[in-house]
Amino acid sequence: VVIMAGGRGTRLKELTDATPKPMLKVGSKPILETIVESFVAQGFRRIVISVNYRADQIEAHFADGRTFGAAISYLREPKRLGTAGALGLIDQRPDEPIVVTNADLLTREDFGRMLDEHQQSGAVATMAVREYEMQVPFGVVSVDDGRISGIEEKPVQRYLVSAGMYVLSPQALDHVPANTYLDMPTLFSSLIAAGLKTRCHDVTGYWLDIGRPPDLERAKADYGDVFQ
Protein backbone atom coordinates (compact mmCIF):
# COMPACT_ATOMS: atom_id res chain seq x y z
CA VAL A 1 0.00 0.00 0.00
CA VAL A 2 1.21 3.50 -0.84
CA ILE A 3 -0.43 6.34 1.11
CA MET A 4 0.01 9.82 -0.37
CA ALA A 5 0.57 12.09 2.65
CA GLY A 6 2.76 14.85 1.24
CA GLY A 7 0.13 17.53 0.63
CA ARG A 8 -0.17 20.89 2.38
CA GLY A 9 -3.92 20.80 3.13
CA THR A 10 -4.44 24.48 2.32
CA ARG A 11 -8.26 24.25 2.31
CA LEU A 12 -8.14 23.60 6.06
CA LYS A 13 -6.35 26.93 6.52
CA GLU A 14 -4.84 27.56 9.95
CA LEU A 15 -5.48 23.98 11.10
CA THR A 16 -2.57 22.82 8.95
CA ASP A 17 -0.16 25.67 9.66
CA ALA A 18 1.68 23.58 12.25
CA THR A 19 0.27 20.10 11.52
CA PRO A 20 0.12 18.14 8.27
CA LYS A 21 -3.48 17.37 7.32
CA PRO A 22 -3.12 13.57 7.70
CA MET A 23 -2.08 14.14 11.33
CA LEU A 24 -5.18 16.13 12.30
CA LYS A 25 -7.11 14.21 14.93
CA VAL A 26 -10.48 12.61 14.28
CA GLY A 27 -11.69 10.74 17.30
CA SER A 28 -8.71 10.09 19.54
CA LYS A 29 -6.10 9.65 16.81
CA PRO A 30 -4.74 11.20 13.60
CA ILE A 31 -6.58 10.55 10.32
CA LEU A 32 -3.53 8.73 8.98
CA GLU A 33 -3.41 6.38 11.96
CA THR A 34 -6.99 5.30 11.31
CA ILE A 35 -6.07 4.70 7.65
CA VAL A 36 -3.05 2.59 8.60
CA GLU A 37 -5.02 0.59 11.15
CA SER A 38 -7.79 -0.06 8.62
CA PHE A 39 -5.30 -1.48 6.11
CA VAL A 40 -3.62 -3.64 8.76
CA ALA A 41 -7.03 -4.98 9.84
CA GLN A 42 -7.65 -6.01 6.21
CA GLY A 43 -4.36 -7.91 6.04
CA PHE A 44 -2.13 -5.31 4.37
CA ARG A 45 1.19 -5.16 6.19
CA ARG A 46 3.69 -3.49 3.82
CA ILE A 47 2.88 0.21 3.81
CA VAL A 48 4.76 3.06 2.18
CA ILE A 49 3.90 6.65 3.14
CA SER A 50 4.80 9.49 0.78
CA VAL A 51 5.79 12.56 2.79
CA ASN A 52 6.76 16.17 2.16
CA TYR A 53 5.05 18.88 4.24
CA ARG A 54 6.08 18.51 7.91
CA ALA A 55 7.27 15.00 7.17
CA ASP A 56 9.09 14.82 10.52
CA GLN A 57 5.78 14.66 12.41
CA ILE A 58 4.52 11.74 10.34
CA GLU A 59 7.78 9.80 10.53
CA ALA A 60 8.12 10.37 14.27
CA HIS A 61 4.59 9.09 14.90
CA PHE A 62 4.73 5.95 12.74
CA ALA A 63 8.47 5.17 12.72
CA ASP A 64 8.98 1.72 11.17
CA GLY A 65 5.36 0.74 11.78
CA ARG A 66 6.08 -2.04 14.25
CA THR A 67 3.81 -0.47 16.86
CA PHE A 68 0.93 -0.64 14.38
CA GLY A 69 1.55 -4.22 13.22
CA ALA A 70 2.98 -3.11 9.88
CA ALA A 71 6.29 -2.56 8.10
CA ILE A 72 6.25 1.14 7.20
CA SER A 73 8.76 2.91 4.97
CA TYR A 74 8.73 6.36 3.37
CA LEU A 75 8.95 8.06 0.00
CA ARG A 76 10.45 11.47 0.75
CA GLU A 77 9.33 13.99 -1.86
CA PRO A 78 12.03 16.65 -2.45
CA LYS A 79 9.22 18.89 -3.70
CA ARG A 80 5.46 18.54 -4.14
CA LEU A 81 4.94 15.79 -6.71
CA GLY A 82 1.14 15.55 -6.87
CA THR A 83 -1.14 12.59 -6.23
CA ALA A 84 0.87 10.23 -8.47
CA GLY A 85 4.33 11.73 -8.92
CA ALA A 86 5.73 10.29 -5.69
CA LEU A 87 5.37 6.83 -7.21
CA GLY A 88 8.37 7.76 -9.36
CA LEU A 89 10.47 7.61 -6.17
CA ILE A 90 9.90 3.86 -5.75
CA ASP A 91 13.39 2.45 -6.20
CA GLN A 92 12.41 -1.09 -7.14
CA ARG A 93 9.59 -1.92 -9.56
CA PRO A 94 7.06 -4.07 -7.69
CA ASP A 95 6.18 -7.53 -8.94
CA GLU A 96 2.52 -7.29 -7.99
CA PRO A 97 -0.18 -4.58 -8.12
CA ILE A 98 -0.11 -1.92 -5.42
CA VAL A 99 -2.95 -0.10 -3.68
CA VAL A 100 -2.60 3.70 -3.67
CA THR A 101 -4.74 6.02 -1.56
CA ASN A 102 -4.83 9.65 -0.56
CA ALA A 103 -4.13 10.34 3.12
CA ASP A 104 -7.20 12.51 3.76
CA LEU A 105 -9.83 9.80 3.27
CA LEU A 106 -11.75 7.86 5.86
CA THR A 107 -13.34 4.78 4.39
CA ARG A 108 -14.57 1.29 5.17
CA GLU A 109 -14.06 0.10 1.60
CA ASP A 110 -12.93 -3.52 1.14
CA PHE A 111 -9.50 -3.09 -0.48
CA GLY A 112 -9.00 -6.84 -0.76
CA ARG A 113 -12.05 -7.09 -3.01
CA MET A 114 -10.90 -4.07 -5.00
CA LEU A 115 -7.48 -5.67 -5.50
CA ASP A 116 -8.96 -9.06 -6.46
CA GLU A 117 -11.29 -7.53 -9.02
CA HIS A 118 -8.42 -5.53 -10.49
CA GLN A 119 -6.30 -8.64 -10.95
CA GLN A 120 -9.18 -10.60 -12.47
CA SER A 121 -9.97 -7.80 -14.93
CA GLY A 122 -6.59 -7.68 -16.68
CA ALA A 123 -6.50 -3.89 -16.29
CA VAL A 124 -3.27 -2.02 -15.58
CA ALA A 125 -5.05 0.56 -13.42
CA THR A 126 -8.25 0.73 -11.38
CA MET A 127 -9.80 3.93 -10.06
CA ALA A 128 -12.34 3.87 -7.23
CA VAL A 129 -15.32 6.07 -8.07
CA ARG A 130 -18.38 7.43 -6.31
CA GLU A 131 -21.56 9.04 -7.52
CA TYR A 132 -21.67 12.77 -6.87
CA GLU A 133 -24.88 14.77 -7.03
CA MET A 134 -25.05 18.49 -7.68
CA GLN A 135 -28.33 20.42 -7.67
CA VAL A 136 -28.71 23.53 -9.81
CA PRO A 137 -30.38 26.10 -7.49
CA PHE A 138 -32.45 27.65 -10.30
CA GLY A 139 -34.94 26.69 -12.94
CA VAL A 140 -32.99 25.54 -16.02
CA VAL A 141 -34.39 26.94 -19.26
CA SER A 142 -34.09 25.15 -22.61
CA VAL A 143 -34.13 27.49 -25.59
CA ASP A 144 -34.66 26.71 -29.28
CA ASP A 145 -34.06 29.61 -31.66
CA GLY A 146 -35.07 32.15 -29.04
CA ARG A 147 -38.19 30.30 -27.92
CA ILE A 148 -38.45 28.61 -24.54
CA SER A 149 -38.92 24.92 -25.20
CA GLY A 150 -38.89 23.74 -21.58
CA ILE A 151 -38.15 24.61 -17.99
CA GLU A 152 -36.74 22.16 -15.44
CA GLU A 153 -36.93 23.38 -11.85
CA LYS A 154 -33.74 22.87 -9.83
CA PRO A 155 -32.54 19.73 -11.63
CA VAL A 156 -30.05 17.33 -10.01
CA GLN A 157 -27.02 16.38 -12.07
CA ARG A 158 -25.12 13.17 -11.30
CA TYR A 159 -21.50 12.40 -12.05
CA LEU A 160 -19.00 9.66 -11.26
CA VAL A 161 -16.02 11.19 -9.47
CA SER A 162 -12.67 9.83 -8.38
CA ALA A 163 -12.64 8.63 -4.77
CA GLY A 164 -8.86 9.02 -4.36
CA MET A 165 -8.18 5.27 -4.15
CA TYR A 166 -6.48 3.19 -6.84
CA VAL A 167 -4.90 -0.13 -7.74
CA LEU A 168 -1.93 0.05 -10.13
CA SER A 169 -0.17 -2.84 -11.80
CA PRO A 170 3.63 -2.62 -12.24
CA GLN A 171 3.17 -1.73 -15.93
CA ALA A 172 1.31 1.45 -14.94
CA LEU A 173 4.31 2.67 -12.95
CA ASP A 174 6.38 2.71 -16.15
CA HIS A 175 4.34 5.79 -17.11
CA VAL A 176 5.37 7.75 -14.00
CA PRO A 177 8.42 9.94 -14.74
CA ALA A 178 11.09 10.41 -12.09
CA ASN A 179 11.01 13.54 -9.91
CA THR A 180 8.16 15.12 -11.90
CA TYR A 181 4.84 16.55 -10.70
CA LEU A 182 2.03 14.21 -11.77
CA ASP A 183 -1.61 13.91 -10.71
CA MET A 184 -3.57 10.66 -10.93
CA PRO A 185 -6.00 11.92 -13.61
CA THR A 186 -3.01 12.74 -15.84
CA LEU A 187 -1.52 9.29 -15.24
CA PHE A 188 -4.80 7.61 -16.17
CA SER A 189 -5.05 9.78 -19.29
CA SER A 190 -1.54 8.66 -20.28
CA LEU A 191 -2.46 5.01 -19.80
CA ILE A 192 -5.61 5.42 -21.87
CA ALA A 193 -3.68 7.21 -24.63
CA ALA A 194 -1.22 4.32 -24.67
CA GLY A 195 -4.09 1.90 -25.32
CA LEU A 196 -3.85 0.22 -21.93
CA LYS A 197 -6.91 -1.04 -20.08
CA THR A 198 -8.16 1.01 -17.14
CA ARG A 199 -11.30 0.40 -15.14
CA CYS A 200 -13.40 1.81 -12.33
CA HIS A 201 -14.42 0.30 -9.01
CA ASP A 202 -17.68 1.43 -7.41
CA VAL A 203 -17.21 2.38 -3.76
CA THR A 204 -19.91 0.77 -1.63
CA GLY A 205 -18.56 1.26 1.89
CA TYR A 206 -18.38 4.39 4.04
CA TRP A 207 -16.24 7.08 2.39
CA LEU A 208 -15.46 10.67 3.31
CA ASP A 209 -12.92 13.05 1.81
CA ILE A 210 -11.68 15.48 4.46
CA GLY A 211 -10.91 18.50 2.33
CA ARG A 212 -12.70 21.38 4.05
CA PRO A 213 -13.55 22.31 7.65
CA PRO A 214 -17.17 21.05 7.33
CA ASP A 215 -15.82 17.66 6.17
CA LEU A 216 -13.56 17.48 9.20
CA GLU A 217 -16.50 18.20 11.50
CA ARG A 218 -18.59 15.52 9.79
CA ALA A 219 -15.73 13.03 10.17
CA LYS A 220 -15.57 13.75 13.90
CA ALA A 221 -19.33 13.24 14.19
CA ASP A 222 -19.24 9.97 12.21
CA TYR A 223 -16.14 8.49 13.76
CA GLY A 224 -17.62 6.83 16.83
CA ASP A 225 -20.27 4.99 14.82
CA VAL A 226 -18.08 4.00 11.87
CA PHE A 227 -14.64 3.21 13.31
CA GLN A 228 -15.22 2.10 16.89
Side-chain angles (χ1 to χ4, degrees):
V1 176
V2 179
I3 305 174
M4 297 296 187
R8 172 71 171 79
T10 53
R11 289 181 296 170
L12 289 171
K13 301 176 182 176
E14 66 277 359
L15 293 175
T16 55
D17 284 345
T19 305
K21 181 164 66 168
M23 295 302 291
L24 294 176
K25 284 192 175 181
V26 173
S28 61
K29 61 190 68 172
I31 297 166
L32 186 53
E33 185 172 332
T34 296
I35 293 172
V36 167
E37 289 178 346
S38 294
F39 274 114
V40 171
Q42 291 189 35
F44 294 89
R45 297 287 190 271
R46 294 167 58 197
I47 297 174
V48 180
I49 303 176
S50 171
V51 294
N52 177 255
Y53 177 67
R54 298 199 176 274
D56 55 320
Q57 293 185 29
I58 294 174
E59 294 190 35
H61 187 84
F62 291 97
D64 61 4
R66 210 173 309 173
T67 303
F68 303 94
I72 295 179
S73 57
Y74 300 89
L75 297 175
R76 298 176 177 90
E77 301 180 35
K79 58 184 178 182
R80 287 185 61 246
L81 293 176
T83 53
L87 297 173
L89 300 174
I90 296 176
D91 56 4
Q92 186 172 352
R93 190 179 192 263
D95 297 324
E96 301 290 341
I98 61 173
V99 175
V100 182
T101 182
N102 295 345
D104 55 359
L105 303 175
L106 289 179
T107 184
R108 278 300 198 189
E109 190 62 17
D110 184 342
F111 285 98
R113 180 172 67 88
M114 183 175 170
L115 181 59
D116 289 343
E117 291 175 356
H118 169 85
Q119 292 179 295
Q120 292 162 10
S121 73
V124 300
T126 291
M127 175 185 291
V129 297
R130 283 185 62 87
E131 190 174 84
Y132 178 78
E133 293 185 353
M134 183 172 63
Q135 185 170 35
V136 179
F138 308 101
V140 174
V141 181
S142 300
V143 178
D144 182 11
D145 196 24
R147 294 183 59 182
I148 295 175
S149 58
I151 302 174
E152 187 177 4
E153 184 63 24
K154 298 180 181 177
V156 175
Q157 298 178 343
R158 293 177 174 84
Y159 303 93
L160 283 179
V161 299
S162 172
M165 307 180 296
Y166 315 89
V167 179
L168 301 177
S169 292
Q171 187 179 358
L173 300 183
D174 296 338
H175 293 257
V176 179
N179 201 32
T180 301
Y181 186 94
L182 181 69
D183 278 328
M184 274 294 181
T186 303
L187 173 58
F188 271 75
S189 294
S190 297
L191 297 174
I192 293 166
L196 298 172
K197 181 179 178 180
T198 62
R199 61 181 292 276
C200 64
H201 168 85
D202 293 327
V203 174
T204 57
Y206 175 87
W207 178 93
L208 179 63
D209 173 83
I210 304 173
R212 303 164 301 150
D215 303 321
L216 182 60
E217 293 308 310
R218 180 182 166 190
K220 291 177 179 179
D222 291 349
Y223 189 86
D225 292 332
V226 177
F227 291 98
Q228 291 181 341

